[in-house]
Amino acid sequence: MTMVHTLTPTADLKTDVDDVARLLTADGERIHDSDLDGWVADLDAAQLRALYRDMVLLRRIDSEGMALQRQGQLGLWAPSNGQEATQIGTARVLRTDDFAFPSYRETGVVYARGAKPEGFLRAWRGEAHSSYDPHELGTAVQQIIIGAQALHAVGYAMGIQRDGADQVVATWFGDGATSQGDVNEAMVFAASYQAPVVFVCTNNQYAISEPVGVQAKAPIAGRAPGFGIPSMRVDGNDILAVTAAMRWATEHARTGKGPAFIEAVTYRMGPHTTSDDPTRYRDKDELERWRERDPLTRVEAYLRSIGEFDDAFAAQVQQDADELGAAVRPTCLAMTSAPALSILDNVYAEPHTGLDEEKTWFAAYLDGFAEEAQR
Amino acid sequence: MTELTMAKALNEGLRRAMRDDDKVLVMGEDIGKLGGVFRITDGLQAEFGAQRIVDTPLAESGIMGTAVGLAYRGYRPVVEIQFDGFVYPAFDQIVSNVAKLHYRSQGAVKMPITIRIPWAGGVGAAEHHSESPEAYFVHTSGLRVVAVSNPQDAYVVLRQAIACDDPVVFFEPKRLYHGKGEVDLDVDLADAAPMGLARIARAGSDVTLLTYGAQVSTAMDAATVAEDEGIDIEVIDLRSLSPVDYKTVTASVRKTGRVVVTHEAAREAGLGAELIASVTERCFYHLETPPVRVTGWDIPYPPAKLEKNHVPDLDRILDGVDRVLDRPNSLTGVEL
Ligand SMILES: Cc1ncc(C[n+]2csc(CCOP(=O)(O)OP(=O)(O)O)c2C)c(N)n1
């Protein structure tokens, strides 16, 4: 098993966030890692600028989402601020015909898979349980049951094996999710069948209010080898390192070597969702320390240092972000609710007499109001 | 027509379904070389290989969750849960994902998963091997639930379940696995009674006896005995527990005016409660007497040596028939 990053079991994961593989320091200085370097040797400045742009756009989507929720236009929002490098860096490595199984937080994955604004808003607005057609985006319905999607990913990967295809599956889950039976069962199944699946654990330090130390006493990436799955622990705020790790992991899965596991060590800058208050469980200093590791400023600094980030580029990205941001709001406000009777649709794929009867009844009941209104 | 046990009929059903559609695959514990603990998958791995008859790790949520992913990919997984009492670790995946994904995706994602469960008691099994969890699934929208009672239905309904684009929880009564019956293996599925229809197992005019699964045979015995006393019982084998074929049920109740429901699952919030509530809503003015439930007690399934006291037998069913006929309750005389 190759590519196992050296792991130091630790009693305090919070102080050990630097025990990660990285290619860019917090100041944007390019450093070297023999495991990672080769995987991004071909990545040129233009590609890195494209990744930077994606991250800026994602941050803009996120701030629009937060604002729309605060204004009562969305029922809830799960911010991805701070996690852009992890989400974009992993999702952008996938091919369009690969398949993604994200959780509620991976707006960046959904965006990278090609979703238009409606595709990340509809469910949060409460108009439907999902915002896009999974088969169109190659992306499963975002998962709310913690960890369940890891198993779906493995099952999908088993299907790929049966089809003799060279696609891979990626699934994202949090540090909290690694405590769930489903994530552990997923690793058992994936290893047992050598399924082409990449597990991306986004260790953003918290499961709502619980620090990662409640879920784990040693780095989470250390678990995968116990299942027979090689793993890497990377700096989740370093887009270069994340891209390298994901390229390694997908290549591993795509070439028939079986599953791979990445722990991306990052930080959620905002609340868990718009319904919680993070000041109750974490302090300002911690937040400030992480602000210094911001994934966007880091790439910017690096690109500047090599003369690849100028004002024209910055202005273009800003304009793209403004355009996207401007599209998010009207898309949200223009959404119309489906008719009342439609709540009884799609429970089953085929006719179901019990539900058909309820539908007939409800339709007549609704018609009654229409008639009353005419009188 | 061939005489087959229900076990063999199920085995044939799986075989034909797999031959008909190469997207069908079976997953479960010990279903490969061993052929399943009840031998329902006997010989199938030899014919279809380990990619289609999949021995899984010992993890029910894992089995169910990976089946979801396979369904996303266009496969039609048939999942074998080794015993009824072991479906609970998979319950989250069934209720939260299998049942809801079609709805959650506005119809974009189909979950044609068949969940086969060797089911209920009467075979002297150890603890956790004789459970009747059907009400949990019937209560879950998005699932279809069927329970078979004879080899012919086992063969046909299993194939219909696998062909169905919805998830189907398929209950196989263990105590009937080795009961034989005539099976038409060449039946045209398009001509067979649809999966949702109830079957009038015995026509009668005095009392409607509603039941399903292994209780159908006990109910038939009760009807034979009652006939000697001049009581003509109509036995309805529901076959489908979700949806219930209320057309057949209400036609019968309107004719007889009397209803007894029997099942071996516990009474409280069991299927009997639902059936009687629905029948009462639909046929209140046709009922001559209050409907009666004859069910297992509200207890965890008892030890094997005592299970005969739990599963309603012929006498308890006849006692229920007496009550619904307003005959003095010969066994207890206790007013409920
Ligand atoms: C099975 C289950 N239990 C509890 C919850 C409620 N819940 C939603 S998010 C969350 C924390 C998840 O933390 P983590 O896995 O670290 O992911 P993150 O939100 O940090 O991305 C909890 C407890 C849930 N959605 N599902």
Side-chain angles (χ1 to χ4, degrees):
Chain A
M1 222 182 291
T2 52
M3 298 291 291
V4 183
H5 187 72
T6 315
L7 299 166
T8 327
T10 169
D12 185 0
L13 296 178
K14 274 190 158 179
T15 60
D16 208 27
V17 292
D18 284 319
D19 181 24
V20 287
R22 63 165 63 105
L23 293 174
L24 292 177
T25 66
D27 300 330
E29 186 193 335
R30 177 76 163 86
I31 53 174
H32 294 283
D33 180 294
S34 56
D35 284 338
L36 296 180
D37 275 338
W39 292 100
V40 283
D42 65 308
L43 196 81
D44 60 23
Q47 287 169 292
L48 203 49
R49 280 204 304 256
L51 291 171
Y52 169 82
R53 176 181 178 275
D54 279 340
M55 291 196 284
V56 172
L57 265 51
L58 171 57
R59 187 163 290 183
R60 183 53 174 266
I61 292 166
D62 192 61
S63 59
E64 293 292 338
M66 290 295 284
L68 284 166
Q69 196 283 333
R70 296 299 186 217
Q71 293 158 10
Q73 295 299 333
L74 298 178
L76 186 73
W77 184 256
S80 43
N81 188 329
Q83 302 183 198
E84 293 87 351
T86 297
Q87 295 187 10
I88 297 295
T90 49
R92 276 291 179 224
V93 171
L94 294 182
R95 293 196 321 220
T96 43
D97 64 334
D98 292 334
F99 212 88
F101 284 85
S103 84
Y104 47 85
R105 194 177 304 287
E106 274 84 32
T107 307
V109 172
V110 176
Y111 155 80
R113 300 297 285 163
K116 300 283 169 274
E118 198 203 47
F120 19 84
L121 291 177
R122 206 147 61 104
W124 294 116
R125 190 164 161 90
E127 298 293 2
H129 283 328
S130 64
S131 298
Y132 49 85
D133 180 335
H135 295 301
E136 266 173 29
L137 287 196
T139 303
V141 177
Q142 285 179 274
Q143 181 65 257
I144 290 179
I145 303 294
I146 302 298
Q149 74 276 21
L151 278 166
H152 305 166
V154 177
Y156 194 100
M158 288 163 64
I160 290 175
Q161 289 179 305
R162 278 157 183 73
D163 296 344
D166 73 342
Q167 293 151 276
V168 302
V169 183
T171 180
W172 291 256
F173 47 82
D175 42 296
T178 60
S179 295
Q180 285 283 349
D182 278 4
V183 169
N184 290 275
E185 292 187 26
M187 288 200 269
V188 172
F189 274 68
S192 176
Y193 300 119
Q194 290 293 285
V197 60
V198 176
F199 298 104
V200 181
C201 172
T202 302
N203 176 0
N204 65 3
Q205 311 303 319
Y206 287 91
I208 310 187
S209 69
E210 295 185 356
V212 60
V214 176
Q215 322 291 339
K217 289 294 174 225
I220 292 166
R223 287 186 200 176
F227 289 97
I229 301 173
S231 69
M232 295 207 69
R233 185 167 201 245
V234 295
D235 187 330
N237 286 13
D238 174 351
I239 187 89
L240 259 188
V242 172
T243 301
M246 190 66 179
R247 283 178 165 190
W248 157 73
T250 47
E251 174 78 2
H252 183 89
R254 209 183 295 287
T255 52
K257 299 197 190 85
F261 186 105
I262 295 170
E263 178 191 355
V265 178
T266 181
Y267 195 79
R268 154 173 56 81
M269 298 301 289
H272 169 72
T273 66
T274 40
S275 6
D276 75 321
D277 171 9
T279 62
R280 292 179 74 128
Y281 54 81
R282 59 185 201 189
D283 61 45
K284 251 202 177 122
D285 294 349
E286 180 180 292
L287 196 64
E288 288 316 312
R289 277 200 304 280
W290 277 94
R291 207 179 293 288
E292 286 160 16
R293 306 163 74 109
D294 186 88
L296 274 65
T297 51
R298 195 184 299 197
V299 197
E300 183 182 329
Y302 171 63
L303 286 171
R304 269 191 207 289
S305 73
I306 59 170
E308 292 284 354
F309 192 100
D310 56 24
D311 292 349
F313 173 65
Q316 183 61 52
V317 171
Q318 190 55 47
Q319 190 185 326
D320 292 350
D322 288 346
E323 269 166 27
L324 179 57
V328 167
R329 178 166 301 266
T331 304
C332 181
L333 302 184
M335 281 180 198
T336 51
S337 298
L341 200 56
S342 75
I343 61 166
L344 296 173
D345 289 342
N346 292 315
V347 179
Y348 295 90
E350 297 183 12
H352 182 283
T353 51
L355 204 62
D356 291 348
E357 201 180 80
E358 285 185 14
K359 196 164 181 180
T360 306
W361 192 91
F362 191 35
Y365 174 78
L366 292 169
D367 284 351
F369 287 107
E371 276 163 30
E372 204 168 85
Q374 270 168 13
R375 262 187 256 134
Chain B
M1 284 286 192
T2 326
E3 172 139 293
L4 293 179
T5 61
M6 182 185 287
K8 191 70 189 141
L10 289 164
N11 178 270
E12 268 313 311
L14 287 173
R15 181 172 287 109
R16 306 263 171 145
M18 295 197 59
R19 280 185 192 158
D20 285 355
D21 182 350
D22 61 13
K23 291 292 182 196
V24 174
L25 51 81
V26 185
M27 316 164 61
E29 297 158 10
D30 306 297
I31 67 166
K33 283 211 178 90
L34 183 67
V37 291
F38 292 104
R39 307 291 182 269
I40 307 302
T41 55
D42 198 24
L44 297 181
Q45 197 178 59
E47 179 173 348
F48 299 102
Q51 290 291 300
R52 294 190 65 202
I53 300 291
V54 187
D55 266 330
T56 63
L58 209 170
E60 286 74 18
S61 191
I63 298 169
M64 201 62 63
T66 50
V68 168
L70 282 156
Y72 253 112
R73 179 77 189 177
Y75 283 83
R76 306 184 84 85
V78 179
V79 165
E80 176 171 310
I81 297 294
Q82 200 156 58
F83 280 91
D84 36 51
F86 308 140
V87 74
Y88 306 118
F91 195 64
D92 164 46
Q93 285 285 354
I94 297 174
V95 169
S96 305
N97 293 284
V98 173
K100 296 193 173 117
L101 265 162
H102 191 262
Y103 191 69
R104 292 177 63 217
S105 67
Q106 289 97 74
V109 178
K110 292 197 169 63
M111 283 289 128
I113 300 175
T114 303
I115 304 168
R116 291 182 37 238
I117 306 181
W119 161 65
V123 294
E127 204 183 354
H128 307 295
H129 290 69
S130 300
E131 310 252 312
S132 293
E134 59 268 23
Y136 299 122
F137 299 106
V138 168
H139 191 63
T140 301
S141 307
L143 300 176
R144 292 171 190 274
V145 182
V146 297
V148 291
S149 68
N150 59 79
Q152 175 73 54
D153 273 357
Y155 176 74
V156 174
V157 180
L158 178 60
R159 292 184 62 191
Q160 290 171 329
I162 295 170
C164 179
D165 274 344
D166 288 311
V168 181
V169 181
F170 186 91
F171 285 110
E172 303 172 2
K174 289 187 279 274
R175 71 175 188 266
L176 300 185
Y177 266 151
H178 300 296
K180 287 190 173 172
E182 291 291 323
V183 180
D184 177 4
L185 289 174
D186 299 318
V187 64
D188 188 345
L189 286 190
D191 293 343
M195 190 169 73
L197 284 195
R199 180 177 68 96
I200 297 177
R202 181 192 189 281
S205 54
D206 296 334
V207 175
T208 298
L209 181 52
L210 297 179
T211 190
Y212 53 91
Q215 282 299 96
V216 172
S217 65
T218 316
M220 292 296 278
D221 291 346
T224 306
V225 172
E227 197 170 13
D228 291 343
E229 297 180 29
I231 303 165
D232 193 14
I233 296 180
E234 179 147 302
V235 179
I236 297 187
D237 173 3
L238 290 174
R239 296 167 83 249
S240 174
L241 312 184
S242 175
V244 168
D245 171 11
Y246 280 111
K247 233 175 151 174
T248 300
V249 171
T250 54
S252 175
V253 174
R254 291 199 169 109
K255 178 174 69 176
T256 64
R258 293 181 160 86
V259 193
V260 175
V261 178
T262 180
H263 56 60
E264 77 174 71
R267 169 177 312 217
E268 181 136 329
L271 217 54
E274 176 58 39
L275 289 165
I276 287 177
S278 294
V279 164
T280 305
E281 276 183 352
R282 287 157 208 253
C283 310
F284 185 77
Y285 293 106
H286 292 83
L287 290 171
E288 305 283 346
T289 54
V292 163
R293 282 175 289 175
V294 181
T295 70
W297 310 114
D298 288 330
I299 56 171
Y301 200 83
K305 292 273 192 242
L306 297 170
E307 68 180 335
K308 64 177 188 308
N309 301 298
H310 177 67
V311 179
D313 61 7
L314 187 140
D315 286 332
R316 267 169 61 197
I317 294 174
L318 289 174
D319 180 56
V321 169
D322 283 346
R323 279 176 19 219
V324 86
L325 283 169
D326 253 349
R327 297 179 4 151
N329 181 338
S330 55
L331 293 179
T332 65
V334 175
E335 280 290 326
L336 286 176

